[in-house]
Amino acid sequence: MYLVSRIVGEMGGVLSWVQSYFEDDKFVVVLGLDGAGKTALVHRLRFGETTDPLPTMGFVIHSVLLHNRKLQIADTCGQDTVRELWGCMYHTADAVIFVVDGTDAKRLPCAMREIQRVMAYPTLEDKPFLILNNKQDQNATCSEELRWQIRGEMWRMFDVSVKTGHGVDEAMTWLDANMA
Ligand SMILES: Nc1nc2c(ncn2[C@@H]2O[C@H](COP(=O)(O)OP(=O)(O)O)[C@@H](O)[C@H]2O)c(=O)[nH]1
Ligand SMILES: [Mg+2]
């Protein structure tokens, strides 16, 4: 527990440094269970395409230009043991992107629970919360079957395929339009 709080403390320090350095940029946190497609999404936003990404360790922050607005996007690692650490990012986030693997029927309930848990965080209440129901190029659950499970106001769910790019522009346009 001591180690976890040390790590959280240090991550908080790194984040506030990143924020002060990139003062005018928006800070967007990409969350989701491991394997959902977070790193693939950030790669697509940066380079307009995907490659097979390597598993992410901890978190990585990338600069991304979205509709002439500079974003700092934190690509997090979603493994159970470090999910606790996401909390320190919620204080400073201007928006959240939560990526769901729509083909992973077994872990969808866990992903939906996690969405509710993150959404309940007070500092995120009035921030746009974008949910990407990913992997729609495969046999994936569609949003209609998931939307009813989510409460709150500032959120939208889009059916996307980060792999083909389907739906990603539309989703990011919503995020851009709803970020203060
Ligand atoms: N079929 C399909 N595979 C995807 C899609 N997005 C990501 N993947 C694959 O899912 C796996 C996990 O992706 P990754 O971005 O590493 O997930 P992360 O753990 O959330 O960062 C990789 O093999 C990706 O190529 C998608 O839209 N369709
Ligand atoms: Mg990753």
Side-chain angles (χ1 to χ4, degrees):
M1 210 50 221
Y2 169 73
L3 186 64
V4 169
S5 57
R6 269 291 299 274
I7 295 171
V8 170
E10 282 180 16
M11 280 170 76
V14 171
L15 282 175
S16 50
W17 176 81
V18 168
Q19 279 242 304
S20 59
Y21 189 81
F22 298 104
E23 224 165 86
D24 299 332
D25 300 354
K26 294 294 175 192
F27 181 54
V28 179
V29 182
V30 183
L31 303 175
L33 306 188
D34 55 295
K38 299 178 293 296
T39 304
L41 170 75
V42 175
H43 200 277
R44 170 168 288 287
L45 295 176
R46 294 175 71 204
F47 306 115
E49 57 176 356
T50 55
T51 56
D52 243 349
L54 294 169
T56 315
M57 302 286 284
F59 68 98
V60 184
I61 296 178
H62 296 286
S63 290
V64 172
L65 204 59
L66 175 72
H67 302 161
N68 289 328
R69 196 205 306 247
K70 191 110 153 288
L71 306 180
Q72 299 303 321
I73 299 196
D75 176 16
T76 59
C77 158
Q79 274 143 23
D80 294 359
T81 44
V82 288
R83 220 176 293 153
E84 301 293 313
L85 306 182
W86 291 352
C88 68
M89 307 219 172
Y90 307 157
H91 297 290
T92 45
D94 295 300
V96 171
I97 303 176
F98 199 106
V99 186
V100 172
D101 181 347
T103 66
D104 191 349
K106 221 163 117 200
R107 289 202 304 166
L108 268 173
C110 176
M112 301 311 284
R113 271 198 308 277
E114 201 59 36
I115 287 173
Q116 286 301 151
R117 198 177 70 87
V118 180
M119 266 186 177
Y121 203 83
T123 57
L124 295 179
E125 232 167 50
D126 56 345
K127 307 283 164 59
F129 197 107
L130 173 63
I131 304 165
L132 300 181
N133 183 23
N134 191 27
K135 309 199 183 178
Q136 296 292 322
D137 56 289
Q138 293 188 333
N139 191 15
T141 305
C142 68
S143 296
E144 273 66 48
E145 293 177 46
L146 303 175
R147 279 201 186 99
W148 63 270
Q149 302 179 41
I150 300 170
R151 311 259 174 275
E153 283 173 23
M154 276 290 276
W155 66 273
R156 275 285 296 275
M157 184 187 285
F158 291 82
D159 283 328
V160 303
S161 165
V162 169
K163 188 175 179 179
T164 66
H166 170 83
V168 175
D169 280 352
E170 198 190 341
M172 294 307 293
T173 300
W174 177 83
L175 191 79
D176 184 49
N178 284 278
M179 241 179 332

